[in-house]
Amino acid sequence: MTSIGGAEMVDWNLAVATATRLVRPGPEVSRDEAREVVAELRRHAKASELHVRAFTRMGTEDTHDTPILVVDRPGWVRANVAGFREVLKPLLDKMQERRASTPGGAVLGAVGGKVTGVELGMLLSFLSSRVLGQYETFAPATRELPAGGPSDSPSGGGRLLLVAPNIVHVERELDVQPHDFRLWVCLHEETHRTQFTAVPWLRAHLEGEIQSFLGETEVDPMTVLERIREAAQSLAGGRPEGEEDDGGRSLVEIVQTPAQREILGRLTAVMSLLEGHADFVMDGVGPDVVPSVAEIREKFQQRRAKGASRLDLALRKLLGLDAKLRQYKDGERFVRSVVEEVGMDGFNRVWTSPNTLPTKTEIAKPADWITRVHRKSES
């Protein structure tokens, strides 16, 4: 990460430093055990590629290899800060232009950039102990964060991240067979890698939706402050009398414009599809290659549902992480229903183009997607 100074809207270096300082220590392992874990995760990730592609029938031709990076918690933080910095650049440039025309904007910006850097670091420190793996596709390629893919890709392609201390922590917490659990996790994350390498338009589509969402952001500070005030009142149960409940939405959802809610609906549908597909594949491949998959799945689902503590539950609610848990369930149900009805090849029509992706409504009603994509094309 290069130093960009306090004049930027976000002090990215401070975000990394804050998260690294606050991140919880991982489980105790010896040096030899750590090396063995890293080596085994790499082996499982490579083996998972063959299992996933055979099961899904995706990416069997002309696919580009992507690096497998086994990282610690600070390594995960650095990768995600690099991704955030790339994705948020258009929005931050827009806000920087607005600030430049405001009296005292440079001073306020220097202070605000550091405050935002600390806040982002605190958030990432919380998340860094919970993520088992990730297919990171937005951060530009660097020596520390190499990427595969075609040379003309805007970011040089993606990379598969496996967070070793978190995987070891969870396998111990669940008291499951370590070798089986590590392979099970790799099957899920490898499915995400397959989705992006086998569907060439997927990354650009997601980035376009994200940029459209950010482009609708209201950059007027007073408007943003008013939305945050309303969100805080709602989350604290302090709504003015007579106002309707917000339906349990997260802070992220509450501070949106109407246009952003439409875009978020489409993004939610795509993420539900990707997460649900990964869960479906993980469970589909699992029985053949992971002997204790039933035990792992049951214990992991219980862990997902209950959270680690009251603080964890509160933060999940505030940050919208509960919505991510619903994405796993709703998306897996959609994929399973479609595959049962039209088979794997029929399901794979979902990857034809952005127009064949399910809508948020269709995720909940798979028959509607089948009617739109299959029945109409056959009539």
Side-chain angles (χ1 to χ4, degrees):
M1 301 292 294
T2 57
S3 176
I4 58 177
E8 293 285 346
M9 298 297 294
V10 179
D11 190 329
W12 300 106
N13 288 335
L14 185 56
V16 172
T18 300
T20 302
R21 185 174 68 253
L22 296 178
V23 70
R24 298 176 182 177
E28 291 187 9
V29 295
S30 67
R31 187 181 298 272
D32 288 343
E33 185 180 3
R35 279 198 288 261
E36 195 277 329
V37 169
V38 170
E40 184 172 32
L41 286 173
R42 291 184 183 279
R43 290 196 303 271
H44 283 332
K46 292 299 293 184
S48 295
E49 182 177 358
L50 299 176
H51 295 312
V52 168
R53 297 192 178 196
F55 183 81
T56 62
R57 303 176 193 171
M58 295 173 64
T60 55
E61 299 177 1
D62 192 28
T63 57
H64 298 276
D65 190 25
T66 52
I68 300 165
L69 306 179
V70 182
V71 299
D72 58 10
R73 290 168 180 175
W76 180 88
V77 167
R78 289 191 293 272
N80 278 269
V81 166
F84 285 151
R85 185 175 180 177
E86 184 73 12
V87 170
L88 293 176
K89 188 177 186 303
L91 171 64
L92 296 181
D93 287 347
K94 179 180 176 182
M95 296 181 72
Q96 183 114 343
E97 290 175 6
R98 170 69 67 91
R99 189 188 68 193
S101 62
T102 303
V107 175
L108 291 173
V111 175
K114 291 188 179 300
V115 170
T116 306
V118 170
E119 291 173 339
L120 178 59
M122 293 173 66
L123 171 62
L124 289 173
S125 73
F126 169 76
L127 295 175
S128 67
S129 62
R130 286 155 175 77
V131 177
L132 300 181
Q134 173 186 355
Y135 183 76
E136 205 297 312
T137 184
F138 294 115
T142 64
R143 186 173 67 175
E144 184 181 28
L145 200 64
S151 58
D152 60 351
S153 172
S155 69
R159 70 285 293 169
L160 180 64
L161 304 178
L162 296 169
V163 191
N166 295 350
I167 293 173
V168 172
H169 171 77
V170 174
E171 71 190 27
R172 291 179 179 178
E173 179 184 314
L174 298 182
D175 190 24
V176 293
Q177 215 285 333
H179 303 291
D180 286 3
F181 183 74
R182 294 167 193 174
L183 177 55
W184 188 72
V185 170
C186 287
L187 289 170
H188 182 102
E189 303 308 332
E190 175 57 39
T191 302
H192 287 316
R193 182 166 69 155
T194 297
Q195 291 162 349
F196 281 91
T197 56
V199 184
W201 52 264
L202 182 58
R203 180 196 181 276
H205 173 71
L206 268 180
E207 185 174 22
E209 291 282 57
I210 292 170
Q211 292 304 332
S212 295
F213 181 89
L214 295 175
E216 291 290 334
T217 299
E218 296 176 357
V219 295
D220 175 62
M222 293 307 296
T223 301
V224 174
L225 286 174
E226 178 64 19
R227 287 179 176 274
I228 292 174
R229 185 189 65 81
E230 293 173 357
Q233 282 186 342
S234 177
L235 289 167
R239 297 186 310 279
E241 187 176 353
E243 286 193 9
E244 293 184 1
D245 193 347
D246 58 70
R249 288 181 290 148
S250 70
L251 177 61
V252 175
E253 294 172 301
I254 293 170
V255 295
Q256 290 161 11
T257 66
Q260 284 176 314
R261 291 194 186 101
E262 290 186 15
I263 299 169
L264 185 69
R266 297 195 298 269
L267 277 170
T268 298
V270 176
M271 298 311 297
S272 297
L273 171 69
L274 298 181
E275 296 293 357
H277 184 234
D279 266 14
F280 176 78
V281 173
M282 182 169 60
D283 288 347
V285 175
D288 292 331
V289 298
V290 182
S292 60
V293 64
E295 177 192 1
I296 292 173
R297 184 63 161 157
E298 181 181 359
K299 289 183 176 180
F300 194 76
Q301 286 289 71
Q302 292 172 355
R303 182 182 185 273
R304 264 185 187 171
K306 69 182 182 180
S309 66
R310 290 177 62 87
L311 175 61
D312 189 54
L313 291 171
L315 286 170
R316 279 184 5 191
K317 180 68 174 178
L318 178 64
L319 299 173
L321 300 182
D322 280 345
K324 185 173 178 63
L325 298 182
R326 290 194 297 273
Q327 287 172 7
Y328 287 103
K329 297 177 183 177
D330 296 344
E332 196 274 341
R333 192 180 304 115
F334 170 84
V335 175
R336 186 174 301 281
S337 297
V338 172
V339 171
E340 288 176 353
E341 182 69 22
V342 297
M344 186 64 75
D345 291 335
F347 165 78
N348 280 339
R349 285 200 192 181
V350 78
W351 312 117
T352 304
S353 76
N355 293 329
T356 56
L357 291 172
T359 65
K360 190 175 180 180
T361 300
E362 288 170 341
I363 286 289
K365 297 181 179 180
D368 290 356
W369 181 85
I370 293 173
T371 297
R372 178 171 67 86
V373 174
H374 283 267
R375 306 290 184 253
K376 287 186 179 179
S377 64
E378 294 169 359
S379 61

